[in-house]
Amino acid sequence: MKHWDPLLIRFLYEFNKTRDYYECHDVMEELWLEEGRKPLYQGLLQVAVGLYHHGNGNVSGAIKLLRAAIEKLEPYADYILGIHLELLVQDASRYLHKLEGIDTAPFMPYDLDIHIVHPELLQAVEDLVINPPLKTNDE
């Protein structure tokens, strides 16, 4: 049985289930700092923040963050951390392309999914659906 970092599980839960991209940022930033500021974690964080920015009407911020995220994530293996990273990069690239043409083809923000391929990781995320993490007064 593989041990999954609780912060990764929480990030995937917030990204795929609650769609709270701001919370994703906070959770992944903590993991990013714990793990020595690896570009992989920063790229995942930036995808979430890019979606957050678009949802709040900050198109230029969304473009900037998604570009940076894709650049950081592309060098990694297609499957890493129990997720299908290549699929996320493809989805983020399509989203970025749409954002770059938003002046001529406006669209509403929409959610992306991170496809979880490791069964134990998927189960850990589903366990949070059943027993959600408690929010603190700060959140």
Side-chain angles (χ1 to χ4, degrees):
M1 178 182 242
K2 181 161 174 59
H3 171 74
W4 298 101
D5 191 300
L7 291 170
L8 176 63
I9 296 166
R10 175 81 184 267
F11 171 80
L12 292 168
Y13 165 77
E14 299 294 351
F15 195 100
N16 284 349
K17 302 299 182 180
T18 69
R19 307 300 187 176
D20 186 341
Y21 298 119
Y22 188 84
E23 183 67 18
C24 285
H25 165 269
D26 288 347
V27 171
M28 185 52 75
E29 184 174 54
E30 186 176 342
L31 182 57
W32 175 64
L33 292 170
E34 271 184 19
E35 293 293 324
R37 300 176 184 252
K38 292 180 182 171
L40 173 60
Y41 295 111
Q42 187 179 24
L44 291 170
L45 182 153
Q46 289 172 324
V47 171
V49 176
L51 296 173
Y52 175 80
H53 280 317
H54 185 216
N56 286 304
N58 181 357
V59 173
S60 63
I63 289 171
K64 179 181 175 183
L65 269 293
L66 287 174
R67 273 189 193 141
I70 293 163
E71 183 178 302
K72 284 181 182 72
L73 297 176
E74 280 181 327
Y76 287 94
D78 295 348
Y79 296 90
I80 192 168
L81 293 177
I83 64 172
H84 188 173
L85 185 63
E86 177 190 35
L87 184 57
L88 177 62
V89 170
Q90 291 170 357
D91 291 345
S93 295
R94 280 190 287 277
Y95 201 108
L96 173 60
H97 181 72
K98 289 178 75 169
L99 281 172
E100 291 170 334
I102 201 164
D103 290 338
T104 56
F107 70 100
M108 295 298 295
Y110 61 90
D111 298 316
L112 298 182
D113 289 309
I114 297 176
H115 185 72
I116 302 169
V117 296
H118 196 285
E120 291 171 4
L121 181 57
L122 180 60
Q123 186 58 56
V125 171
E126 292 300 323
D127 289 347
L128 284 184
V129 172
I130 295 166
N131 189 18
L134 297 175
K135 301 278 185 177
T136 65
N137 290 337
D138 298 348
E139 298 178 43

